[in-house]
Amino acid sequence: MLIFDKSVEGRRAVTLPECDVKEYSFDKKYLRETPAVLPEVAEVDLVRHYIGLSRKCVGVDNVFYPLGSCTMKYNPKLNEVIARNPAFTNLHPLQPESTVQGALEVMYETQKILAEITGMDEISLEPAAGAHGEYTSLQIIRKYHLSRGDGKRNKIIVPDSAHGTNPASAAMCGFEIINVKSDKRGNVDIKALKESVGDDTAALMLTNPNTLGLLDEHILKITSVVHKAGGLVYYDGANLNAVMGVIRPGDLGFDVVHLNLHKTFSTPHGGGGPGSGAIGCKKKLVQFMPDPAVVRVRNRYRFAERENSIGKVKAFYGNFLVVLRAYAYLLTLGKEGIREASENAVLNANYLRVLLEPYFKTAYSRTCMHEFVLSLEKFHDETGVSAMDVAKALIDKGIHPPTMYFPLIVHEALMFEPTETESRETLEACRDVMREIYEEAKSNPDAVKACPASTPISRPDEVLAARKPKVRKQ
Ligand SMILES: *Cc1c(COP(=O)(O)O)cnc(C)c1O
């Protein structure tokens, strides 16, 4: 039911004082011909309507939400309070620098801390999401090679476990994509990598830990193989939640990184933004980074142009309030807290992995980082119940589904990322629910295949629902 359906003519949620100024008569050409159709409801009905809608929403604030590769972590409410402060929200991006010193300081200090965490020399907070950070970085990589008169590096190497945005960003930048396969332990296959690199390699894009939740066991070898061929190495930092404060991409040989501040550093996401895909570069790439830089000159903060910048990639200075939340998060946790968050994320993932092992097998049997991937291929063969069916059954039992059918190299994949804030009790409750589904799949598979029953609609056609949504009243 829409709020319009609850409308009763003349009913009001507010009482305004009598108007004590003369009514102004606008020229007719500025007036609408018929009054706007607006819902007329009392405050109590208004509140019930929207609270009712919010209860249908499934999010990290009401259920366990182990969506892997997305880091749907619980974000402290303190950071929301800070990001709502009118001192920040009322700023105008065209205000003179002298009047926004506080905001510039937030950006400058966030850059400094993120540079330390990633082991990079400079950070730009401009890109609006991870994919945007990839695109921006690839433009930088291209400009770097061209500036050295190295015009034939037109290939980007991407492992088969990569997130889809990696090859998509490379294609958007006009690069050719070369896929390298993973080995039996879920690492980049070194032999395949060696065969792929050459004097046409612009860069390798790598997520580490990768989208299987596994830390590559040959990372130093990988970055050195690419460097020896004259290519650069790009770090997709979407999985930084596993390693922040523990290892630094810059120390592993990466030249450029993107971070998803909305994943790792405390901005609620999942509804499509706003986000921040901050990027970091090693010294040799800094001159090509987006304009403007935020710099400090004798205790004053200001914007500065870079010598050989690729230009601007976003209006003004990125999504500032996402950066502000990240800054608040970084300061609240501090150096030790950041590391501890990662350690707990890894501990929680391994605990849940081991709890589920008697029922569901992991695709790669080794210690995981912050997430792990189950393969239900055999289970599906035996019971007819697919990874999709299990995901749908979880909804009825009050758990948001994990990531399904990703990464593509694992068949019948379910990828769990519990994150650092979940308690032991929540993880054990998840095990109990997964065991119930497992048992039901063995005894009554049709019941599992009929889930979910608790949602307004049960199983829409996933593709049609996304491509041609029918937005209509229920
Ligand atoms: C989420 C994600 C991205 C893309 O980031 P967005 O902020 O969604 O654009 C890229 N790579 C990996 C591994 C991711 O998980």
Side-chain angles (χ1 to χ4, degrees):
M1 202 185 228
L2 302 179
I3 187 75
F4 289 90
D5 300 322
K6 295 179 182 166
S7 181
V8 175
E9 206 180 325
R11 205 162 273 175
R12 289 285 178 274
V14 289
T15 316
L16 296 173
E18 290 260 317
C19 183
D20 61 357
V21 291
K22 211 166 127 244
E23 258 186 56
Y24 181 79
S25 1
F26 282 96
D27 191 323
K28 243 191 151 145
K29 71 178 180 210
Y30 296 121
L31 299 179
R32 49 170 87 239
E33 281 156 17
T34 49
V37 182
L38 295 172
E40 301 178 75
V41 291
E43 183 178 298
V44 65
D45 299 317
L46 184 72
V47 170
R48 282 180 193 154
H49 179 73
Y50 286 105
I51 293 287
L53 286 181
S54 77
R55 284 197 181 141
K56 286 187 185 160
C57 214
V58 177
V60 75
D61 283 350
N62 52 1
V63 294
F64 178 42
Y65 202 131
L67 194 73
S69 208
C70 296
T71 307
M72 300 302 286
K73 65 203 246 171
Y74 179 79
N75 300 302
K77 294 294 171 267
L78 171 66
N79 304 334
E80 295 307 305
V81 175
I82 290 168
R84 230 179 280 138
N85 185 336
F88 291 113
T89 56
N90 288 346
L91 293 179
H92 193 284
L94 292 177
Q95 270 178 244
E97 279 167 13
S98 62
T99 66
V100 290
Q101 286 293 304
L104 288 176
E105 182 177 350
V106 166
M107 294 172 76
Y108 181 82
E109 290 297 323
T110 308
Q111 288 174 182
K112 250 178 45 182
I113 300 172
L114 294 180
E116 186 177 344
I117 288 177
T118 55
M120 292 289 147
D121 291 304
E122 268 197 44
I123 301 285
S124 165
L125 302 166
E126 209 171 284
H132 195 195
E134 293 168 20
Y135 179 85
T136 306
S137 304
L138 289 167
Q139 296 288 4
I140 293 171
I141 288 171
R142 185 208 309 281
K143 199 149 186 192
Y144 166 79
H145 289 308
L146 289 178
S147 76
R148 293 155 51 91
D150 199 351
K152 59 176 181 298
R153 295 194 178 266
N154 63 347
K155 296 199 170 60
I156 295 288
I157 302 174
V158 179
D160 58 4
S161 61
H163 192 269
T165 51
N166 291 184
S169 302
M172 269 186 83
C173 288
F175 286 108
E176 220 177 284
I177 291 120
I178 302 200
N179 243 287
V180 287
K181 61 180 170 69
S182 305
D183 68 15
K184 281 199 187 66
R185 287 180 59 78
N187 300 311
V188 169
D189 188 303
I190 294 282
K191 192 162 160 276
L193 177 67
K194 280 186 174 157
E195 285 160 11
S196 309
V197 297
D199 59 5
D200 56 359
T201 303
L204 164 75
M205 297 177 87
L206 195 67
T207 313
N208 194 31
N210 64 19
T211 59
L212 299 161
L214 303 172
L215 197 74
D216 201 294
E217 292 163 311
H218 315 122
I219 187 61
L220 296 175
K221 178 88 192 156
I222 290 169
T223 52
S224 108
V225 166
V226 179
H227 282 155
K228 277 201 187 114
L232 297 177
V233 198
Y234 177 83
Y235 183 81
D236 176 331
N239 289 343
L240 195 80
N241 210 49
V243 294
M244 54 180 183
V246 184
I247 52 171
R248 311 194 313 163
D251 299 335
L252 303 177
F254 288 93
D255 304 288
V256 46
V257 311
H258 91 248
L259 304 177
N260 306 60
L261 299 193
H262 46 286
K263 290 181 182 173
T264 315
F265 297 105
S266 182
T267 283
H269 66 288
S276 174
I279 60 161
C281 288
K282 282 280 180 70
K283 226 176 222 105
K284 59 180 182 273
L285 298 173
V286 166
Q287 57 175 313
F288 307 115
M289 291 174 81
D291 267 342
V294 179
V295 298
R296 185 163 74 182
V297 185
R298 274 177 268 109
N299 289 337
R300 302 293 289 172
Y301 299 95
R302 42 183 293 263
F303 293 115
E305 308 272 290
R306 298 179 205 269
E307 209 178 325
N308 289 312
S309 169
I310 57 161
K312 277 187 87 63
V313 295
K314 168 107 175 61
F316 301 113
Y317 322 110
N319 285 324
F320 173 71
L321 296 177
V322 181
V323 174
L324 180 60
R325 285 182 182 89
Y327 186 51
Y329 184 71
L330 290 163
L331 291 191
T332 338
L333 264 69
K335 227 176 201 165
E336 293 76 24
I338 286 289
R339 183 186 174 107
E340 202 181 327
S342 282
E343 287 171 347
N344 285 338
V346 173
L347 178 64
N348 271 355
N350 278 291
Y351 186 52
L352 185 60
R353 176 178 66 83
V354 171
L355 288 178
L356 296 184
E357 224 150 52
Y359 316 103
F360 299 101
K361 294 283 164 246
T362 42
Y364 296 84
S365 178
R366 60 183 252 215
T367 306
C368 66
M369 296 298 288
H370 63 310
E371 62 190 0
F372 59 89
V373 184
L374 301 178
S375 169
L376 273 59
E377 196 173 14
K378 204 157 148 261
F379 180 77
H380 183 219
D381 289 346
E382 287 165 9
T383 61
V385 170
S386 65
M388 170 76 88
D389 297 328
V390 171
K392 298 292 183 190
L394 280 168
I395 298 174
D396 277 350
K397 294 179 189 291
I399 293 181
H400 189 284
T403 295
M404 303 179 291
Y405 299 105
F406 178 78
L408 302 175
I409 50 174
V410 177
H411 297 294
E412 293 297 325
L414 283 182
M415 175 200 267
F416 284 81
E417 179 180 0
T419 79
E420 65 276 12
T421 43
E422 298 302 334
S423 67
R424 182 171 176 174
E425 291 77 16
T426 300
L427 302 179
E428 289 169 358
C430 176
R431 182 264 322 268
D432 294 345
V433 161
M434 287 292 280
R435 182 174 52 205
E436 277 171 35
I437 296 172
Y438 172 86
E439 281 160 5
E440 195 158 26
K442 299 254 160 171
S443 61
N444 186 5
D446 287 344
V448 181
K449 296 177 87 62
C451 295
S454 60
T455 49
I457 53 170
S458 185
R459 289 207 192 193
D461 179 310
E462 308 251 323
V463 178
L464 274 182
R467 297 279 156 83
K468 293 185 186 163
K470 264 192 214 156
V471 185
R472 62 179 170 81
K473 293 194 248 181
Q474 285 285 327

mmCIF file of all heavy atoms in Angstrom, residues 5 13 22 36 98 110 129 163 170 185 189 224 233 268 329 342 384 391 456 467:
data_model
loop_
_atom_site.group_PDB
_atom_site.id
_atom_site.type_symbol
_atom_site.label_atom_id
_atom_site.label_comp_id
_atom_site.label_asym_id
_atom_site.label_seq_id
_atom_site.Cartn_x
_atom_site.Cartn_y
_atom_site.Cartn_z
ATOM 1 N N ASP A 5 -2.555 5.886 -0.861
ATOM 2 C CA ASP A 5 -3.785 5.120 -0.633
ATOM 3 C C ASP A 5 -4.369 5.402 0.746
ATOM 4 O O ASP A 5 -5.527 5.107 1.008
ATOM 5 C CB ASP A 5 -3.510 3.622 -0.765
ATOM 6 C CG ASP A 5 -2.998 3.272 -2.154
ATOM 7 O OD1 ASP A 5 -3.504 3.877 -3.124
ATOM 8 O OD2 ASP A 5 -2.075 2.435 -2.259
ATOM 9 N N ALA A 13 -0.619 16.278 8.945
ATOM 10 C CA ALA A 13 0.354 15.809 9.942
ATOM 11 C C ALA A 13 0.982 16.986 10.682
ATOM 12 O O ALA A 13 1.682 16.794 11.659
ATOM 13 C CB ALA A 13 1.439 14.985 9.273
ATOM 14 N N LYS A 22 1.242 39.096 3.668
ATOM 15 C CA LYS A 22 0.283 39.206 2.573
ATOM 16 C C LYS A 22 0.576 38.136 1.520
ATOM 17 O O LYS A 22 1.736 37.874 1.208
ATOM 18 C CB LYS A 22 0.406 40.595 1.938
ATOM 19 C CG LYS A 22 -0.901 41.083 1.372
ATOM 20 C CD LYS A 22 -0.838 42.584 1.056
ATOM 21 C CE LYS A 22 -1.273 42.798 -0.378
ATOM 22 N NZ LYS A 22 -0.310 43.322 -1.267
ATOM 23 N N ALA A 36 -1.220 19.945 -6.913
ATOM 24 C CA ALA A 36 -0.363 18.744 -6.874
ATOM 25 C C ALA A 36 -1.081 17.648 -6.090
ATOM 26 O O ALA A 36 -1.747 17.921 -5.099
ATOM 27 C CB ALA A 36 0.951 19.084 -6.193
ATOM 28 N N SER A 98 39.749 29.429 2.708
ATOM 29 C CA SER A 98 39.986 29.926 4.072
ATOM 30 C C SER A 98 38.812 29.606 4.994
ATOM 31 O O SER A 98 38.973 29.566 6.209
ATOM 32 C CB SER A 98 40.226 31.439 4.035
ATOM 33 O OG SER A 98 39.066 32.069 3.538
ATOM 34 N N THR A 110 43.039 12.212 6.538
ATOM 35 C CA THR A 110 42.589 10.890 6.068
ATOM 36 C C THR A 110 43.564 10.363 5.019
ATOM 37 O O THR A 110 43.948 9.189 5.038
ATOM 38 C CB THR A 110 41.163 10.981 5.480
ATOM 39 O OG1 THR A 110 40.321 11.609 6.435
ATOM 40 C CG2 THR A 110 40.606 9.603 5.159
ATOM 41 N N ALA A 129 33.721 5.389 -6.108
ATOM 42 C CA ALA A 129 33.482 3.976 -5.769
ATOM 43 C C ALA A 129 34.712 3.181 -6.175
ATOM 44 O O ALA A 129 35.613 3.713 -6.845
ATOM 45 C CB ALA A 129 32.262 3.455 -6.496
ATOM 46 N N HIS A 163 37.094 -9.791 -9.466
ATOM 47 C CA HIS A 163 35.773 -9.166 -9.470
ATOM 48 C C HIS A 163 35.505 -8.624 -10.872
ATOM 49 O O HIS A 163 36.429 -8.123 -11.521
ATOM 50 C CB HIS A 163 35.798 -8.019 -8.457
ATOM 51 C CG HIS A 163 34.463 -7.447 -8.130
ATOM 52 N ND1 HIS A 163 33.929 -6.394 -8.822
ATOM 53 C CD2 HIS A 163 33.557 -7.774 -7.180
ATOM 54 C CE1 HIS A 163 32.743 -6.089 -8.302
ATOM 55 N NE2 HIS A 163 32.498 -6.912 -7.308
ATOM 56 N N ALA A 170 39.098 -2.051 -17.189
ATOM 57 C CA ALA A 170 40.192 -2.113 -18.164
ATOM 58 C C ALA A 170 39.631 -1.964 -19.583
ATOM 59 O O ALA A 170 40.194 -1.238 -20.412
ATOM 60 C CB ALA A 170 40.955 -3.424 -18.021
ATOM 61 N N ARG A 185 45.564 -24.325 -5.374
ATOM 62 C CA ARG A 185 45.382 -23.779 -4.026
ATOM 63 C C ARG A 185 44.714 -22.400 -4.045
ATOM 64 O O ARG A 185 44.628 -21.729 -3.026
ATOM 65 C CB ARG A 185 46.733 -23.727 -3.310
ATOM 66 C CG ARG A 185 47.209 -25.125 -2.911
ATOM 67 C CD ARG A 185 48.530 -25.113 -2.200
ATOM 68 N NE ARG A 185 48.570 -24.319 -0.970
ATOM 69 C CZ ARG A 185 48.060 -24.726 0.199
ATOM 70 N NH1 ARG A 185 47.472 -25.892 0.295
ATOM 71 N NH2 ARG A 185 48.151 -23.960 1.271
ATOM 72 N N ASP A 189 48.281 -18.658 -10.891
ATOM 73 C CA ASP A 189 49.165 -19.682 -11.447
ATOM 74 C C ASP A 189 50.407 -18.983 -12.019
ATOM 75 O O ASP A 189 50.331 -18.264 -13.015
ATOM 76 C CB ASP A 189 48.414 -20.452 -12.540
ATOM 77 C CG ASP A 189 49.200 -21.653 -13.024
ATOM 78 O OD1 ASP A 189 50.354 -21.474 -13.482
ATOM 79 O OD2 ASP A 189 48.650 -22.756 -12.950
ATOM 80 N N SER A 224 57.022 -9.273 -8.628
ATOM 81 C CA SER A 224 58.338 -9.144 -9.273
ATOM 82 C C SER A 224 58.304 -9.624 -10.733
ATOM 83 O O SER A 224 58.960 -9.040 -11.593
ATOM 84 C CB SER A 224 59.415 -9.821 -8.427
ATOM 85 O OG SER A 224 59.868 -10.998 -9.016
ATOM 86 N N VAL A 233 51.744 -2.988 -10.982
ATOM 87 C CA VAL A 233 50.838 -3.904 -10.288
ATOM 88 C C VAL A 233 49.807 -3.099 -9.505
ATOM 89 O O VAL A 233 50.154 -2.207 -8.719
ATOM 90 C CB VAL A 233 51.597 -4.863 -9.349
ATOM 91 C CG1 VAL A 233 50.697 -6.043 -8.999
ATOM 92 C CG2 VAL A 233 52.863 -5.378 -10.001
ATOM 93 N N PRO A 268 27.648 2.874 5.601
ATOM 94 C CA PRO A 268 26.634 1.891 5.230
ATOM 95 C C PRO A 268 26.464 1.886 3.715
ATOM 96 O O PRO A 268 26.412 2.950 3.093
ATOM 97 C CB PRO A 268 25.363 2.429 5.899
ATOM 98 C CG PRO A 268 25.832 3.378 6.944
ATOM 99 C CD PRO A 268 27.124 3.941 6.462
ATOM 100 N N TYR A 329 36.177 6.841 11.894
ATOM 101 C CA TYR A 329 36.416 5.415 12.179
ATOM 102 C C TYR A 329 37.893 5.164 12.481
ATOM 103 O O TYR A 329 38.248 4.485 13.456
ATOM 104 C CB TYR A 329 35.968 4.607 10.965
ATOM 105 C CG TYR A 329 36.054 3.107 11.104
ATOM 106 C CD1 TYR A 329 35.182 2.415 11.934
ATOM 107 C CD2 TYR A 329 36.997 2.377 10.381
ATOM 108 C CE1 TYR A 329 35.246 1.032 12.042
ATOM 109 C CE2 TYR A 329 37.070 0.991 10.486
ATOM 110 C CZ TYR A 329 36.191 0.326 11.321
ATOM 111 O OH TYR A 329 36.267 -1.041 11.419
ATOM 112 N N SER A 342 40.908 -6.276 11.757
ATOM 113 C CA SER A 342 41.278 -7.255 10.729
ATOM 114 C C SER A 342 41.466 -8.641 11.332
ATOM 115 O O SER A 342 40.994 -9.639 10.796
ATOM 116 C CB SER A 342 42.582 -6.850 10.035
ATOM 117 O OG SER A 342 42.324 -5.835 9.107
ATOM 118 N N GLY A 384 19.735 -32.256 -5.086
ATOM 119 C CA GLY A 384 18.965 -31.418 -6.012
ATOM 120 C C GLY A 384 18.785 -29.995 -5.494
ATOM 121 O O GLY A 384 18.200 -29.143 -6.141
ATOM 122 N N ALA A 391 20.495 -20.230 -0.224
ATOM 123 C CA ALA A 391 20.480 -18.780 0.027
ATOM 124 C C ALA A 391 19.050 -18.308 0.309
ATOM 125 O O ALA A 391 18.808 -17.523 1.226
ATOM 126 C CB ALA A 391 21.064 -18.036 -1.160
ATOM 127 N N PRO A 456 7.594 -10.518 0.759
ATOM 128 C CA PRO A 456 6.429 -10.074 -0.031
ATOM 129 C C PRO A 456 6.319 -10.805 -1.378
ATOM 130 O O PRO A 456 5.227 -11.133 -1.811
ATOM 131 C CB PRO A 456 6.692 -8.584 -0.244
ATOM 132 C CG PRO A 456 7.604 -8.186 0.865
ATOM 133 C CD PRO A 456 8.434 -9.381 1.189
ATOM 134 N N ARG A 467 16.725 -5.972 -14.757
ATOM 135 C CA ARG A 467 16.770 -5.238 -16.028
ATOM 136 C C ARG A 467 15.469 -4.513 -16.346
ATOM 137 O O ARG A 467 15.466 -3.418 -16.893
ATOM 138 C CB ARG A 467 17.099 -6.199 -17.180
ATOM 139 C CG ARG A 467 18.457 -6.840 -17.083
ATOM 140 C CD ARG A 467 19.544 -5.893 -17.600
ATOM 141 N NE ARG A 467 20.841 -6.210 -17.025
ATOM 142 C CZ ARG A 467 21.647 -7.164 -17.489
ATOM 143 N NH1 ARG A 467 21.299 -7.857 -18.540
ATOM 144 N NH2 ARG A 467 22.800 -7.397 -16.913
#
